[in-house]
Amino acid sequence: MMLIRYISQIGKYFLMLKEIFIKQTKWSVMKNLIFKEIDDLIINSMGIVCFISFFVGGVVSIQTALNLTNPLIPTYLIGFATRQSVILEFAPTFISVIMAGKMGSFITSSIGTMRVTEQIDALEVMGVNSLNYLVFPKIIALFLYPFLIGISMFLGVFGGWMAAVYGGFTSSESFITGVQLDFIPFHITYAFIKTIIFAMLLATIPSFHGYYMKGGALEVGKASTVSFVWTSVCIITSNYILTQLLLGA
């Protein structure tokens, strides 16, 4: 019974995706909605992303330095390990899971509140495609999400450099040598491919849970929690699949 319910929900989700792109809202209205979503989802997330990236990059650097106990191991490996950790996993995946909590809860609660207060019904009565009106601007706004992840990558490595150099674990030259060591440009491409997929999940899964929720104010909170869990599960699962496809071959 539970399996049938999950399959039904997955089918409903893909039908929602189709509905988003038909009967478009006119551009003069959509343009303002997109700018509002960019402000709410991207600009308002920049502070927490910068803060977490800087300090987690520093922690990765310190942890690596503390584990290099053998004097024969060169200290430039601190820079190498920090770069690999931040670019491959921390920035695209860890930040996306955090954003599933911040962005996802905001999206679910805002759409869920519109459902509870019958604003979505009012849009439908006026002949507006409510899914296109509510979800499409979020998808377009989150095309800027890779920009946020690019900042996260830079600040993660910079935080690692600050922690390693000013913590006395290595010299600036040695750390930078490690950052440049065996650099594979495709790793950046891989990270941004993941980021675009995660952005789509961040825009649509919370919207799905908010749009189709039933009940009152209490259920809005429950829907936000459920959307965070499922968005995180989908991000981590797709991370595994994309890593296997793009790097495992």
Side-chain angles (χ1 to χ4, degrees):
M1 196 69 186
M2 190 72 94
L3 179 63
I4 293 169
R5 183 169 166 271
Y6 284 145
I7 292 169
S8 169
Q9 289 291 90
I10 291 167
K12 201 173 180 182
Y13 170 75
F14 283 106
L15 287 172
M16 182 197 80
L17 292 183
K18 188 189 83 170
E19 289 289 324
I20 290 168
F21 297 100
I22 61 173
K23 198 184 174 189
Q24 296 283 325
T25 305
K26 59 183 179 180
W27 175 245
S28 58
V29 175
M30 184 60 71
K31 180 178 62 175
N32 294 328
L33 292 172
I34 289 169
F35 284 125
K36 182 181 180 300
E37 296 297 348
I38 289 171
D39 186 51
D40 288 341
L41 301 178
I42 302 297
I43 306 299
N44 287 350
S45 299
M46 205 165 283
I48 187 71
V49 168
C50 292
F51 178 81
I52 292 172
S53 301
F54 181 83
F55 284 102
V56 171
V59 168
V60 169
S61 180
I62 292 167
Q63 292 277 18
T64 306
L66 293 174
N67 282 286
L68 295 179
T69 52
N70 192 325
L72 297 175
I73 298 174
T75 57
Y76 63 70
L77 286 178
I78 299 169
F80 176 79
T82 303
R83 183 199 75 203
Q84 292 295 90
S85 301
V86 168
I87 288 176
L88 290 176
E89 279 309 309
F90 166 71
T93 309
F94 186 57
I95 290 293
S96 293
V97 171
I98 293 169
M99 288 300 106
K102 187 191 179 298
M103 285 184 194
S105 297
F106 173 77
I107 291 169
T108 304
S109 59
S110 60
I111 295 178
T113 302
M114 290 184 74
R115 172 62 76 189
V116 168
T117 55
E118 299 180 350
Q119 293 178 57
I120 292 175
D121 298 329
L123 286 171
E124 294 288 348
V125 167
M126 289 189 292
V128 176
N129 178 357
S130 56
L131 278 170
N132 178 261
Y133 184 88
L134 294 171
V135 184
F136 187 73
K138 293 172 174 56
I139 294 172
I140 299 301
L142 280 166
F143 274 117
L144 291 176
Y145 186 59
F147 169 71
L148 208 58
I149 297 303
I151 292 172
S152 174
M153 289 177 184
F154 170 76
L155 285 174
V157 174
F158 180 67
W161 174 80
M162 290 278 285
V165 173
Y166 291 99
F169 297 107
T170 185
S171 66
S172 178
E173 293 78 13
S174 180
F175 186 91
I176 292 168
T177 300
V179 170
Q180 295 172 334
L181 181 70
D182 291 338
F183 177 66
I184 301 170
F186 180 71
H187 284 172
I188 300 287
T189 308
Y190 155 78
F192 282 126
I193 289 170
K194 286 204 300 185
T195 300
I196 291 166
I197 302 295
F198 296 162
M200 189 68 180
L201 295 174
L202 283 168
T204 55
I205 295 175
S207 297
F208 172 80
H209 286 282
Y211 189 84
Y212 291 108
M213 63 143 292
K214 293 181 176 68
L218 181 63
E219 279 71 25
V220 173
K222 288 180 180 177
S224 297
T225 304
V226 171
S227 84
F228 167 66
V229 171
W230 280 110
T231 307
S232 301
V233 167
C234 291
I235 285 170
I236 290 165
T237 306
S238 60
N239 180 47
Y240 174 81
I241 294 166
L242 289 166
T243 303
Q244 186 66 40
L245 288 173
L246 297 172
L247 297 183

